């Protein structure tokens, strides 16, 4: 079963994403910020298949989490990162990709667009 970690300080968005992903047969973990996500990732007994993260969060933002995931973890495999943010300027997208993100979607998004992007990331990670 595919396991996805949703990292966002908005409970509403986490719930919406979780329901969408679970309805497509995926297992979902949640974190409210990058610091909490790091804890879950390093102590998770399950291998993660994908991380979806917001950028603007307290304690540790999405850029920092992405950089940590791509460079500093001792994970057995590289985990794709999808940034999902309200920051829609070209510079934000550029900087997210520069930090190691594999894809970038702006909020509000259409569920089919999100699911297509997730499917593409999961296929390329195999």
């Amino acid at each position: 079963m595919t396991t996805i970690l949703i990292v966002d300080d908005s409970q509403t968005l986490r719930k919406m994403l979780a329901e969408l992903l679970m309805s497509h047969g995926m297992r979902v973990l949640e974190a409210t910020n990058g610091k909490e996500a790091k804890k879950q990732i390093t102590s998770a007994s399950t291998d993660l298949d994908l991380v979806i993260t917001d950028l603007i969060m307290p304690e540790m933002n999405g850029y920092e989490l992405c950089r940590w995931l791509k460079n500093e973890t001792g994970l057995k495999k590289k985990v794709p990162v999808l940034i999902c943010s309200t920051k829609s300027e070209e510079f934000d997208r550029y900087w997210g990709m520069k930090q190691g993100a594999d894809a970038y979607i702006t909020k509000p998004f259409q569920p089919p667009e999100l699911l297509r992007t997730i499917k593409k990331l999961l296929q390329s990670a195999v």
Side-chain angles (χ1 to χ4, degrees):
M1 180 180 279
T2 300
T3 303
I4 298 179
L5 174 61
I6 301 168
V7 188
D8 199 302
D9 55 340
S10 165
Q11 181 179 0
T12 304
L13 187 81
R14 285 194 320 272
K15 184 175 174 24
M16 185 193 75
L17 278 174
E19 287 175 2
L20 175 67
L21 298 174
M22 288 187 295
S23 74
H24 284 82
M26 298 175 204
R27 180 173 176 241
V28 174
L29 303 173
E30 297 181 27
T32 59
N33 60 56
K35 193 173 180 181
E36 189 178 305
K38 271 179 74 169
K39 251 189 248 177
Q40 283 197 36
I41 291 165
T42 55
S43 66
S45 57
T46 315
D47 280 338
L48 282 178
D49 297 297
L50 178 73
V51 173
I52 300 173
T53 185
D54 188 16
L55 290 176
I56 309 302
M57 299 176 289
E59 296 191 52
M60 181 183 202
N61 68 43
Y63 291 129
E64 294 168 311
L65 175 63
C66 185
R67 197 168 41 246
W68 174 81
L69 259 170
K70 294 299 182 169
N71 300 314
E72 300 175 30
T73 61
L75 297 177
K76 294 176 220 155
K77 66 177 183 178
K78 289 289 183 187
V79 177
V81 176
L82 168 59
I83 291 176
C84 185
S85 175
T86 56
K87 294 176 73 66
S88 60
E89 297 297 319
E90 193 56 40
F91 177 78
D92 301 313
R93 182 179 301 273
Y94 167 80
W95 192 244
M97 301 307 274
K98 192 85 170 149
Q99 302 310 302
D102 298 283
Y104 193 110
I105 290 181
T106 56
K107 299 174 195 172
F109 57 84
Q110 295 298 314
E113 174 195 14
L114 180 76
L115 291 169
R116 274 193 306 275
T117 303
I118 288 170
K119 186 176 181 181
K120 191 185 326 177
L121 291 173
L122 292 172
Q123 286 173 343
S124 67
V126 172

